[in-house]
Amino acid sequence: QQPVQSPQAVILREGEDAVINCSSSKALYSVHWYRQKHGEAPVFLMILLKGGEQKGHEKISASFNEKKQQSSLYLTASQLSYSGTYFCGTETQAAGNKLTFGGGTRVLVKP
Amino acid sequence: DVKVTQSSRYLVKRTGEKVFLECVQDMDHENMFWYRQDPGLGLRLIYFSYDVKMKEKGDIPEGYSVSREKKERFSLILESASTNQTSMYLCASGPGSQPQHFGDGTRLSIL
Protein backbone atom coordinates (compact mmCIF):
# COMPACT_ATOMS: atom_id res chain seq x y z
CA GLN A 1 0.00 0.00 0.00
CA GLN A 2 1.35 3.41 -0.99
CA PRO A 3 2.20 5.97 1.69
CA VAL A 4 -0.10 8.99 1.71
CA GLN A 5 1.39 12.39 1.02
CA SER A 6 -0.23 15.66 1.98
CA PRO A 7 -0.89 18.19 0.75
CA GLN A 8 -1.20 17.17 -2.90
CA ALA A 9 -0.10 20.63 -4.02
CA VAL A 10 1.14 23.84 -2.47
CA ILE A 11 1.86 27.30 -3.86
CA LEU A 12 4.38 29.47 -2.04
CA ARG A 13 5.86 32.91 -2.38
CA GLU A 14 9.65 33.02 -2.39
CA GLY A 15 10.88 33.06 1.21
CA GLU A 16 7.84 31.28 2.68
CA ASP A 17 7.91 27.95 4.48
CA ALA A 18 6.00 24.73 3.81
CA VAL A 19 5.67 21.25 5.27
CA ILE A 20 5.00 18.07 3.31
CA ASN A 21 3.85 15.00 5.19
CA CYS A 22 4.22 11.32 4.34
CA SER A 23 2.25 8.72 6.31
CA SER A 24 2.40 4.96 6.11
CA SER A 25 0.19 2.22 7.53
CA LYS A 26 3.22 -0.06 7.90
CA ALA A 27 6.18 -0.08 10.28
CA LEU A 28 9.01 1.67 8.47
CA TYR A 29 12.72 1.06 8.34
CA SER A 30 13.58 4.17 6.38
CA VAL A 31 12.09 7.06 4.42
CA HIS A 32 13.66 8.49 1.27
CA TRP A 33 12.81 11.90 -0.20
CA TYR A 34 13.16 12.81 -3.88
CA ARG A 35 12.40 15.89 -5.93
CA GLN A 36 11.43 15.81 -9.59
CA LYS A 37 11.44 18.90 -11.76
CA HIS A 38 9.23 19.00 -14.80
CA GLY A 39 10.58 16.81 -17.60
CA GLU A 40 13.49 15.55 -15.52
CA ALA A 41 14.38 12.46 -13.53
CA PRO A 42 13.66 12.34 -9.78
CA VAL A 43 16.69 13.41 -7.76
CA PHE A 44 17.56 12.07 -4.33
CA LEU A 45 17.37 14.57 -1.44
CA MET A 46 17.88 12.56 1.75
CA ILE A 47 17.34 9.30 3.63
CA LEU A 48 16.02 9.07 7.17
CA LEU A 49 16.51 5.90 9.15
CA LYS A 50 14.36 4.87 12.11
CA GLY A 51 15.44 6.66 15.26
CA GLY A 52 13.74 10.01 14.71
CA GLU A 53 16.77 11.69 13.24
CA GLN A 54 16.56 14.86 11.27
CA LYS A 55 18.52 15.63 8.15
CA GLY A 56 19.08 18.60 5.95
CA HIS A 57 19.79 19.47 2.36
CA GLU A 58 20.33 23.19 1.75
CA LYS A 59 17.35 24.74 3.59
CA ILE A 60 15.29 21.59 3.20
CA SER A 61 15.15 19.35 6.24
CA ALA A 62 13.14 16.33 7.26
CA SER A 63 12.14 14.35 10.32
CA PHE A 64 11.01 10.77 10.82
CA ASN A 65 8.70 9.67 13.59
CA GLU A 66 8.87 5.87 13.52
CA LYS A 67 6.16 5.47 16.16
CA LYS A 68 3.70 7.37 14.01
CA GLN A 69 5.15 5.90 10.80
CA GLN A 70 5.35 9.40 9.47
CA SER A 71 7.93 11.66 7.92
CA SER A 72 7.76 15.38 7.28
CA LEU A 73 9.76 17.45 4.82
CA TYR A 74 10.33 21.11 5.71
CA LEU A 75 10.96 23.70 3.02
CA THR A 76 12.37 26.74 4.80
CA ALA A 77 12.71 30.19 3.23
CA SER A 78 11.74 28.65 -0.10
CA GLN A 79 13.60 29.53 -3.28
CA LEU A 80 12.36 29.43 -6.86
CA SER A 81 14.54 26.35 -7.41
CA TYR A 82 12.46 24.40 -4.87
CA SER A 83 9.61 24.13 -7.37
CA GLY A 84 8.90 20.58 -8.45
CA THR A 85 7.16 17.44 -7.28
CA TYR A 86 8.34 15.87 -4.04
CA PHE A 87 8.02 12.15 -3.46
CA CYS A 88 8.55 10.14 -0.32
CA GLY A 89 9.64 6.53 -0.69
CA THR A 90 9.18 4.20 2.25
CA GLU A 91 11.09 1.05 3.05
CA THR A 92 9.94 -1.64 5.44
CA GLN A 93 12.28 -4.10 7.12
CA ALA A 94 10.79 -7.04 5.29
CA ALA A 95 10.87 -5.42 1.88
CA GLY A 96 14.62 -5.02 1.84
CA ASN A 97 15.77 -2.55 -0.78
CA LYS A 98 12.35 -2.00 -2.29
CA LEU A 99 10.79 1.45 -1.95
CA THR A 100 7.10 2.25 -2.11
CA PHE A 101 6.48 5.82 -3.26
CA GLY A 102 3.70 8.20 -2.34
CA GLY A 103 1.59 10.02 -4.91
CA GLY A 104 3.74 13.12 -4.78
CA THR A 105 3.31 16.75 -3.68
CA ARG A 106 3.54 19.46 -6.32
CA VAL A 107 5.28 22.58 -5.07
CA LEU A 108 5.25 25.87 -6.95
CA VAL A 109 7.35 28.73 -5.62
CA LYS A 110 6.42 32.12 -7.08
CA PRO A 111 8.60 35.25 -7.06
CA ASP B 1 28.51 10.91 -11.48
CA VAL B 2 26.14 7.98 -11.73
CA LYS B 3 24.63 7.58 -15.16
CA VAL B 4 21.43 5.64 -15.78
CA THR B 5 20.58 5.61 -19.45
CA GLN B 6 17.24 4.62 -20.92
CA SER B 7 17.28 3.73 -24.60
CA SER B 8 14.41 5.99 -25.73
CA ARG B 9 12.82 9.19 -24.44
CA TYR B 10 9.67 8.68 -26.50
CA LEU B 11 8.20 5.52 -27.99
CA VAL B 12 4.98 4.84 -29.88
CA LYS B 13 3.79 1.26 -30.34
CA ARG B 14 0.62 -0.53 -31.39
CA THR B 15 -1.69 -2.68 -29.29
CA GLY B 16 -0.52 -6.30 -29.20
CA GLU B 17 3.11 -5.54 -30.02
CA LYS B 18 5.96 -6.86 -27.89
CA VAL B 19 7.82 -3.86 -26.49
CA PHE B 20 11.32 -3.72 -25.05
CA LEU B 21 12.54 -0.89 -22.82
CA GLU B 22 16.25 -0.92 -22.09
CA CYS B 23 18.16 0.54 -19.16
CA VAL B 24 21.92 0.67 -18.60
CA GLN B 25 23.80 1.92 -15.50
CA ASP B 26 27.51 2.59 -15.24
CA MET B 27 28.15 2.34 -11.48
CA ASP B 28 28.20 -1.42 -10.90
CA HIS B 29 25.07 -1.22 -8.71
CA GLU B 30 23.58 -4.47 -7.51
CA ASN B 31 19.98 -3.28 -7.58
CA MET B 32 17.96 -2.09 -10.52
CA PHE B 33 14.30 -1.08 -10.65
CA TRP B 34 11.53 -0.37 -13.15
CA TYR B 35 8.73 2.04 -12.22
CA ARG B 36 5.82 3.52 -14.04
CA GLN B 37 4.72 7.05 -13.29
CA ASP B 38 1.13 8.21 -13.72
CA PRO B 39 -0.36 11.55 -12.59
CA GLY B 40 -1.53 11.43 -8.98
CA LEU B 41 -0.23 7.89 -8.47
CA GLY B 42 3.43 8.69 -8.04
CA LEU B 43 5.99 6.03 -8.87
CA ARG B 44 4.79 2.45 -8.79
CA LEU B 45 7.28 -0.40 -8.79
CA ILE B 46 6.86 -2.95 -11.56
CA TYR B 47 9.87 -5.23 -11.04
CA PHE B 48 13.28 -5.04 -9.47
CA SER B 49 16.47 -7.06 -9.59
CA TYR B 50 19.15 -7.45 -6.93
CA ASP B 51 21.58 -9.51 -9.00
CA VAL B 52 22.16 -10.88 -12.48
CA LYS B 53 19.36 -13.24 -13.51
CA MET B 54 17.50 -12.48 -10.25
CA LYS B 55 14.19 -10.65 -10.28
CA GLU B 56 11.39 -9.81 -7.89
CA LYS B 57 7.86 -8.66 -8.58
CA GLY B 58 6.97 -5.19 -7.49
CA ASP B 59 3.52 -3.83 -6.84
CA ILE B 60 2.15 -3.93 -10.40
CA PRO B 61 3.90 -6.71 -12.37
CA GLU B 62 0.91 -7.87 -14.41
CA GLY B 63 1.50 -7.59 -18.15
CA TYR B 64 5.25 -7.07 -17.75
CA SER B 65 8.37 -9.19 -17.54
CA VAL B 66 12.04 -8.31 -17.09
CA SER B 67 15.45 -9.59 -18.03
CA ARG B 68 18.82 -9.03 -16.42
CA GLU B 69 21.55 -10.98 -18.22
CA LYS B 70 24.34 -8.54 -17.33
CA LYS B 71 24.81 -6.50 -14.18
CA GLU B 72 24.65 -3.15 -15.94
CA ARG B 73 21.55 -3.82 -18.05
CA PHE B 74 17.92 -4.29 -17.01
CA SER B 75 15.21 -4.69 -19.62
CA LEU B 76 11.47 -4.27 -19.22
CA ILE B 77 9.28 -6.25 -21.60
CA LEU B 78 5.63 -5.65 -22.39
CA GLU B 79 4.60 -9.05 -23.72
CA SER B 80 1.51 -7.79 -25.56
CA ALA B 81 1.14 -4.05 -25.23
CA SER B 82 -2.24 -2.63 -24.28
CA THR B 83 -3.50 0.94 -24.18
CA ASN B 84 -3.58 0.95 -20.36
CA GLN B 85 0.20 0.57 -20.42
CA THR B 86 0.58 4.04 -21.90
CA SER B 87 2.70 5.79 -19.29
CA MET B 88 6.07 7.20 -18.29
CA TYR B 89 8.53 4.44 -17.43
CA LEU B 90 11.48 5.15 -15.16
CA CYS B 91 14.48 2.95 -14.52
CA ALA B 92 16.62 3.34 -11.40
CA SER B 93 19.70 1.71 -9.92
CA GLY B 94 21.26 1.73 -6.46
CA PRO B 95 23.81 0.01 -4.22
CA GLY B 96 21.87 -1.81 -1.51
CA SER B 97 19.65 0.29 0.73
CA GLN B 98 21.02 3.55 -0.60
CA PRO B 99 19.74 6.32 -2.85
CA GLN B 100 18.31 5.24 -6.13
CA HIS B 101 19.55 7.02 -9.24
CA PHE B 102 16.96 7.48 -11.94
CA GLY B 103 17.13 7.63 -15.70
CA ASP B 104 15.36 10.37 -17.66
CA GLY B 105 12.39 8.14 -18.40
CA THR B 106 10.67 6.74 -21.50
CA ARG B 107 7.28 8.14 -22.41
CA LEU B 108 5.50 5.19 -24.00
CA SER B 109 2.28 5.56 -25.98
CA ILE B 110 0.32 2.48 -27.01
CA LEU B 111 -2.13 3.15 -29.86
Short mmCIF file of all heavy atoms in Angstrom, two decimals, chain A residues 3 9-10 15 23 30 34 48-49 53 56 58 62 96-97 107:
data_model
loop_
_atom_site.label_atom_id
_atom_site.label_comp_id
_atom_site.label_asym_id
_atom_site.label_seq_id
_atom_site.Cartn_x
_atom_site.Cartn_y
_atom_site.Cartn_z
N PRO A 3 2.32 4.95 0.64
CA PRO A 3 2.20 5.97 1.69
C PRO A 3 1.37 7.14 1.16
O PRO A 3 1.31 7.36 -0.06
CB PRO A 3 3.64 6.40 1.96
CG PRO A 3 4.40 6.01 0.73
CD PRO A 3 3.70 4.82 0.16
N ALA A 9 -0.74 19.51 -3.32
CA ALA A 9 -0.10 20.63 -4.02
C ALA A 9 -0.01 21.81 -3.08
O ALA A 9 -0.85 21.97 -2.18
CB ALA A 9 -0.89 21.00 -5.27
N VAL A 10 0.99 22.63 -3.28
CA VAL A 10 1.14 23.84 -2.47
C VAL A 10 1.79 24.92 -3.33
O VAL A 10 2.70 24.64 -4.12
CB VAL A 10 1.95 23.54 -1.19
CG1 VAL A 10 3.34 23.01 -1.52
CG2 VAL A 10 2.06 24.76 -0.31
N GLY A 15 10.59 32.70 -0.18
CA GLY A 15 10.88 33.06 1.21
C GLY A 15 9.92 32.44 2.22
O GLY A 15 10.21 32.44 3.43
N SER A 23 2.73 9.65 5.28
CA SER A 23 2.25 8.72 6.31
C SER A 23 2.09 7.33 5.74
O SER A 23 1.55 7.15 4.65
CB SER A 23 0.90 9.19 6.86
OG SER A 23 1.03 10.43 7.50
N SER A 30 13.00 2.92 6.84
CA SER A 30 13.58 4.17 6.38
C SER A 30 12.60 4.92 5.49
O SER A 30 11.64 4.34 4.97
CB SER A 30 14.89 3.93 5.62
OG SER A 30 14.63 3.34 4.36
N TYR A 34 12.67 12.46 -2.55
CA TYR A 34 13.16 12.81 -3.88
C TYR A 34 12.40 14.04 -4.38
O TYR A 34 11.25 14.27 -3.99
CB TYR A 34 12.92 11.65 -4.87
CG TYR A 34 13.78 10.44 -4.63
CD1 TYR A 34 13.46 9.53 -3.63
CD2 TYR A 34 14.92 10.21 -5.40
CE1 TYR A 34 14.26 8.41 -3.40
CE2 TYR A 34 15.72 9.09 -5.18
CZ TYR A 34 15.38 8.21 -4.18
OH TYR A 34 16.17 7.11 -3.95
N LEU A 48 16.15 9.07 5.72
CA LEU A 48 16.02 9.07 7.17
C LEU A 48 15.81 7.64 7.64
O LEU A 48 14.94 6.95 7.15
CB LEU A 48 14.85 9.94 7.62
CG LEU A 48 15.01 11.40 7.21
CD1 LEU A 48 14.10 11.72 6.05
CD2 LEU A 48 14.74 12.31 8.38
N LEU A 49 16.63 7.24 8.59
CA LEU A 49 16.51 5.90 9.15
C LEU A 49 15.73 5.97 10.45
O LEU A 49 15.69 7.01 11.11
CB LEU A 49 17.88 5.30 9.41
CG LEU A 49 18.80 5.20 8.20
CD1 LEU A 49 20.16 4.69 8.59
CD2 LEU A 49 18.17 4.31 7.14
N GLU A 53 15.76 10.70 13.55
CA GLU A 53 16.77 11.69 13.24
C GLU A 53 16.23 12.71 12.23
O GLU A 53 15.27 12.47 11.51
CB GLU A 53 18.00 11.00 12.66
CG GLU A 53 17.76 10.33 11.32
CD GLU A 53 19.03 9.72 10.77
OE1 GLU A 53 19.89 10.47 10.30
OE2 GLU A 53 19.14 8.48 10.79
N GLY A 56 19.25 17.37 6.71
CA GLY A 56 19.08 18.60 5.95
C GLY A 56 19.77 18.56 4.61
O GLY A 56 20.75 17.86 4.43
N GLU A 58 20.52 21.75 1.94
CA GLU A 58 20.33 23.19 1.75
C GLU A 58 19.40 23.66 2.88
O GLU A 58 19.67 23.40 4.03
CB GLU A 58 19.75 23.49 0.36
CG GLU A 58 20.64 23.01 -0.76
CD GLU A 58 19.96 23.06 -2.11
OE1 GLU A 58 18.73 23.17 -2.16
OE2 GLU A 58 20.67 22.99 -3.11
N ALA A 62 14.20 17.32 7.10
CA ALA A 62 13.14 16.33 7.26
C ALA A 62 13.27 15.65 8.60
O ALA A 62 14.35 15.61 9.20
CB ALA A 62 13.20 15.30 6.13
N GLY A 96 13.24 -5.16 2.30
CA GLY A 96 14.62 -5.02 1.84
C GLY A 96 14.84 -3.72 1.12
O GLY A 96 14.49 -2.66 1.64
N ASN A 97 15.38 -3.76 -0.07
CA ASN A 97 15.77 -2.55 -0.78
C ASN A 97 14.64 -1.93 -1.59
O ASN A 97 14.85 -0.98 -2.32
CB ASN A 97 16.93 -2.87 -1.71
CG ASN A 97 18.10 -3.43 -0.96
OD1 ASN A 97 18.45 -2.94 0.10
ND2 ASN A 97 18.69 -4.49 -1.48
N VAL A 107 4.94 21.32 -5.72
CA VAL A 107 5.28 22.58 -5.07
C VAL A 107 5.60 23.61 -6.15
O VAL A 107 6.42 23.36 -7.04
CB VAL A 107 6.48 22.40 -4.13
CG1 VAL A 107 6.95 23.75 -3.58
CG2 VAL A 107 6.14 21.44 -3.00
#
